[in-house]
Amino acid sequence: MKKTEQDHDEYKRPPNLLKAKKHGIAKRFAAPMPFTDFDKGSVCPCCGYPYKNQILPICVSISEFSFIGSGIVLYFDFVIYSQIILLIYMLVQGFRCQIENRETHSGCEEDIYNKFSRSNVYKELDVVASYLNFATLIMLMISTLIYRRHINKICLEIDDAEIEASDYSIMIYNAPKNCKKEDIRSYFLQEEGMEELELRKICMAYEVKPFLQLKIELEEQQSELSHVLDLERQKKKSSKSKTEILLKIKEIHEKLDYVDKYKDVIFRFTGVIFLSFNYEKHADIVCDQFKQTKFQLLLEQLNIKKYQNRKFLGNSIIVRKAPLPGDILWENLGIEIKEQYKRIVTTNVVTAALLAIGLAMIFGLSYMQEYINAQVDYDPTTTAVIINFLGFLASLIISFINSILSSTIIKLIIREQHSTKTEYDISIAKKIGLAEFINVAILTLLVNILIKGQNETTLNTMYQKGGLNSDVMWIFMTDSFMPWFMFIVDFEHLKKLFIRRQIKQLGSNCKLTQKQANEAFEGPMINLAEKYPAIAKTLLMALFYAPLLPACSFFALVSIMGIYWIEKILLLRRDSKPLPTGSDMAQAMVEFYVDLLILIYSLGNCIWEYTIFKTMHWSTWISFIICSIFYLLPKERVLEFILKIGIDNATEDSYDSRSPTFLDDYDRRNPVTAEEAKKIWIENQQQQNSDMHQINQIMSAKQLDISIYRYHYNIMQQQSRQQILMTNHKSFSKVHPEFKTENNYNMKKLQY
């Protein structure tokens, strides 16, 4: 093993270009190579990913992305389903509108905005369209149930294929702050209904913000020291003293050593516990014993209502299956629910205020359009150009307001202190998607119908120059290419490309640290919290305005199809690996947005039919009632009884046999216990690989007699723990197919 691979100094100046490139290769979105040795020389010391990986082809199935968890697979599946929804609408509805009322209403012009607008059909209620809308809603509801069944099957298949520590674990919230591990162990092994449980691991969460802040300060001081040493090497003076920096580093190290020595006393327990049992069914049993919800606990903390749920050491607790270890935000654990809800309310109030500001800005531009259209005496061509430019400008301002909304909401949601990254992402995706839809669709409608229409009939405000039809079409035309542009022209990535070029050109004169160089060679990381609301906003807009402007569905379809392929290409050729994600994000998005889509489409039918014809067909009323019931219906039960999605069977493998294969676990992620737990795990892995390497060496000698095979194998079986051998059961069988294996690696007959 080379020394350069062993020693890793992330503050080294100048950086090692080869190491930075190899880090970029390790971090790229590529499938891991099978049978990679657990060796420091084959693993990036910065990120822990192996250097050997396999680039996937562009046309690869999205199911191949499951090596990073089910989250990425289900996101692309959601994008495909979004296209199916729009195709269903377009196939059923088509573009049937034409100019029929030009003589009656002189303001109507046969342009791209009005040509396919339903507002042109002014003579009488369009009964055929009402029936088609009803049929479309029924088909959308059926497709929703089928899609839910589809993603549930994907989740079950991936869950069965990938067994993680979370399968055996539960998360407990609001445990007594003074409880000890002995209290927890005795409760879950002796209480009624829990006598047969086999508890394997207890991981208690602590308040770690001051501890993490110390580590951040240490990193900052080490970076400063690296800069000063680099200036000394160049015989230049520094504004900061090396001695002072070394003293600060020494002080921080002393504090960290003190914290490590007295961590049992210093760290305060947050009331959050992660318990791992020997069998998954044991974790399920405990979850079934405790039915307390977050809302019930909130009511108890506010002294509004008391519930007679099962208590844990006198406290009402929330128990659920534990999230993935890497998904937990340890610094956020322990916040009281009433405080968290208070911050959520603050987020909603600020979002409403920003929407009000957006309404004022859109109103200003719309007023200018109305003034030019009515008061300014230009020739028709000039007037049309000015009004269209203002409409385009309004669509850009709406996009700008959306970006401000997104950044503000993200900052506010950080203050909500969600316990997992998935909960944080779900909160962002829901709030941003809904806020952007209100800003784009609802505010535009209010401005055009309520403000512009004060001196016109409601219908005239739709098809006049600068009216609702043109405003909405401009928004869709802008939205159909803007996401593509923003994905491709990623300014942060362009900055990294420039830094890479500078590193190569400067060589030994480069001022960057190794850490900064490594980051420059990383690609962007896909952020599902921003991707989902972008797709959902486009879908909500398209289905809300589709009854008025059917052509909107075409622009939305083009936009989403482009997003699918561009994101897939960028993921496979430019992006770096995201953190492993589960199915919770996708399921939350389906429950929130897919059901809302159908309700919004039905609501749009009601609004536009009444606006245009001053009446509503009975089928429109019935469809809205059905959609409202469908929105409130517990669809998971419908799937269970009607479509038979199957049951998530608990794995029969034990925690003892599977734990050596876990690349992540709660004690290795807990900032308080991580260092010690990682040392133990690495020692076990090295011992395991040493044992299996000896086995493979023995078995690779094909000239040996079968009796020698068995002799050496039995020796190694006695020396190695049974659970370590079970870890490599799959790789053992693939490397040596001539051996047929059963449980515990019992040897069967060899055939030559």
Side-chain angles (χ1 to χ4, degrees), residues 22 25 49 61 79 135 144 256 273 279 287 291 325 420 444-445 468 484 490 538 559 578 586 707 727 734:
K22 291 178 71 175
I25 292 172
Y49 287 114
S61 169
V79 179
T144 298
L256 290 173
I273 310 169
Y279 294 96
C287 289
K291 299 295 185 180
T420 66
T444 303
L445 173 64
L468 180 64
W484 302 4
D490 186 328
T538 302
S559 176
S707 59
T727 301
K734 291 179 180 177

Side-chain angles (χ1 to χ4, degrees), residues 644-740:
K644 302 183 184 300
I645 61 170
I647 302 172
D648 184 10
N649 294 316
T651 178
E652 295 182 359
D653 295 341
S654 67
Y655 180 89
D656 293 338
S657 65
R658 301 294 303 198
S659 58
T661 69
F662 297 156
L663 297 179
D664 208 356
D665 209 342
Y666 300 98
D667 54 351
R668 278 180 264 149
R669 286 284 183 174
N670 189 336
V672 178
T673 61
E675 188 174 347
E676 182 178 353
K678 285 178 182 177
K679 286 181 181 178
I680 295 172
W681 184 77
I682 290 172
E683 290 173 0
N684 291 338
Q685 290 294 314
Q686 290 173 337
Q687 178 62 38
Q688 168 191 340
N689 280 273
S690 174
D691 293 344
M692 292 310 301
H693 179 67
Q694 294 178 51
I695 292 174
N696 291 335
Q697 282 184 329
I698 294 169
M699 297 180 65
S700 64
K702 295 188 176 181
Q703 70 275 16
L704 291 180
D705 186 78
I706 181 62
S707 59
I708 300 178
Y709 272 107
R710 289 178 175 173
Y711 172 77
H712 283 287
Y713 183 82
N714 290 332
I715 291 176
M716 293 310 304
Q717 192 176 40
Q718 293 173 5
Q719 292 178 347
S720 303
R721 293 182 303 170
Q722 179 180 347
Q723 64 185 45
I724 293 178
L725 290 173
M726 285 299 296
T727 301
N728 289 274
H729 182 273
K730 293 182 179 179
S731 60
F732 184 89
S733 301
K734 291 179 180 177
V735 174
H736 306 287
E738 66 270 25
F739 283 82
K740 295 182 180 180

Side-chain angles (χ1 to χ4, degrees), residues 170 193-194 280-292 309-310 319-321:
I170 63 171
M194 302 185 188
E280 185 177 357
K281 62 182 180 181
H282 292 175
D284 295 334
I285 289 171
V286 177
C287 289
D288 292 338
Q289 296 280 343
F290 296 89
K291 299 295 185 180
Q292 190 93 0
N309 293 318
R310 184 166 186 169
V319 178
R320 61 184 177 96
K321 287 298 285 288

Side-chain angles (χ1 to χ4, degrees), residues 113 361-376 383-395 444 447-448 452 461 464-468 470-472 474:
Y113 316 122
M361 294 177 70
I362 297 171
F363 169 72
L365 282 176
S366 298
Y367 180 81
M368 289 175 65
Q369 284 180 314
E370 180 72 11
Y371 178 80
I372 292 172
N373 200 31
Q375 303 294 332
V376 179
T383 302
V385 169
I386 294 174
I387 290 175
N388 286 332
F389 173 75
L390 290 175
F392 175 68
L393 186 61
S395 65
T444 303
V447 168
N448 281 273
K452 281 189 178 181
T461 63
Q464 69 180 2
K465 293 177 182 177
L468 180 64
S470 64
D471 285 353
V472 173
W474 266 116

Side-chain angles (χ1 to χ4, degrees), residues 75 133-134 140 160 168 209 235 277 322 327 334 379 409 411 457 486 501 555 557 565 573 587 592 615 652 674 698 700:
Y75 166 69
N133 286 332
F134 182 77
L140 288 177
D160 290 340
Y168 301 91
K209 279 188 177 180
K235 298 180 179 180
F277 296 90
D327 193 33
D379 61 274
I409 288 173
K411 290 178 182 178
T457 65
M486 295 306 295
R501 184 180 177 185
F555 287 108
L557 179 62
W565 282 106
R573 294 296 178 267
Q587 290 176 325
F592 184 75
T615 185
E652 295 182 359
I698 294 169
S700 64

Side-chain angles (χ1 to χ4, degrees), residues 282-464:
H282 292 175
D284 295 334
I285 289 171
V286 177
C287 289
D288 292 338
Q289 296 280 343
F290 296 89
K291 299 295 185 180
Q292 190 93 0
T293 65
K294 267 192 172 183
F295 186 69
Q296 289 176 346
L297 187 57
L298 175 65
L299 294 180
E300 285 195 358
Q301 289 183 353
L302 295 174
N303 296 319
I304 295 175
K305 187 176 181 180
K306 297 292 183 182
Y307 293 89
Q308 300 301 317
N309 293 318
R310 184 166 186 169
K311 308 292 184 183
F312 170 66
L313 302 178
N315 271 29
S316 295
I317 61 172
I318 299 171
V319 178
R320 61 184 177 96
K321 287 298 285 288
L324 293 170
D327 193 33
I328 300 166
L329 302 174
W330 296 90
E331 65 274 18
N332 289 351
L333 297 179
I335 183 174
E336 288 191 358
I337 287 183
K338 59 183 179 181
E339 177 62 27
Q340 191 176 50
Y341 272 90
K342 188 189 299 181
R343 297 180 183 184
I344 291 173
V345 171
T346 303
T347 302
N348 295 335
V349 170
V350 174
T351 302
L354 289 174
L355 288 173
I357 295 172
L359 175 62
M361 294 177 70
I362 297 171
F363 169 72
L365 282 176
S366 298
Y367 180 81
M368 289 175 65
Q369 284 180 314
E370 180 72 11
Y371 178 80
I372 292 172
N373 200 31
Q375 303 294 332
V376 179
D377 189 17
Y378 291 132
D379 61 274
T381 303
T382 305
T383 302
V385 169
I386 294 174
I387 290 175
N388 286 332
F389 173 75
L390 290 175
F392 175 68
L393 186 61
S395 65
L396 291 180
I397 288 179
I398 287 172
S399 299
F400 173 73
I401 294 170
N402 282 342
S403 65
I404 298 296
L405 275 171
S406 299
S407 59
T408 305
I409 288 173
I410 289 171
K411 290 178 182 178
L412 291 170
I413 289 176
I414 291 174
R415 294 185 65 256
E416 294 176 5
Q417 288 190 236
H418 293 280
S419 59
T420 66
K421 180 69 165 56
T422 298
E423 289 180 0
Y424 168 80
D425 288 343
I426 289 172
S427 182
I428 287 177
K430 286 182 177 180
K431 289 183 173 68
I432 289 179
L434 196 57
E436 289 185 351
F437 168 69
I438 292 172
N439 179 49
V440 175
I442 306 302
L443 298 189
T444 303
L445 173 64
L446 289 175
V447 168
N448 281 273
I449 300 299
L450 302 181
I451 301 174
K452 281 189 178 181
Q454 59 186 345
N455 297 320
E456 296 278 354
T457 65
T458 302
L459 195 61
N460 283 350
T461 63
M462 293 183 181
Y463 56 67
Q464 69 180 2

Side-chain angles (χ1 to χ4, degrees), residues 248-260:
K248 288 181 180 179
I249 291 175
K250 183 181 178 182
E251 289 176 4
I252 295 173
H253 274 298
E254 288 175 351
K255 290 180 181 178
L256 290 173
D257 291 340
Y258 179 82
V259 168
D260 184 62

Side-chain angles (χ1 to χ4, degrees), residues 3-9 12 15-24 44-45 51 514 518:
K3 185 178 179 183
T4 54
E5 291 296 330
Q6 283 182 331
D7 302 332
H8 174 66
D9 181 9
K12 177 180 177 293
N16 186 314
L17 179 60
L18 179 61
K19 281 188 176 183
K21 287 182 176 180
K22 291 178 71 175
H23 170 75
C44 178
Y51 294 127
Q514 188 66 51
N518 288 355

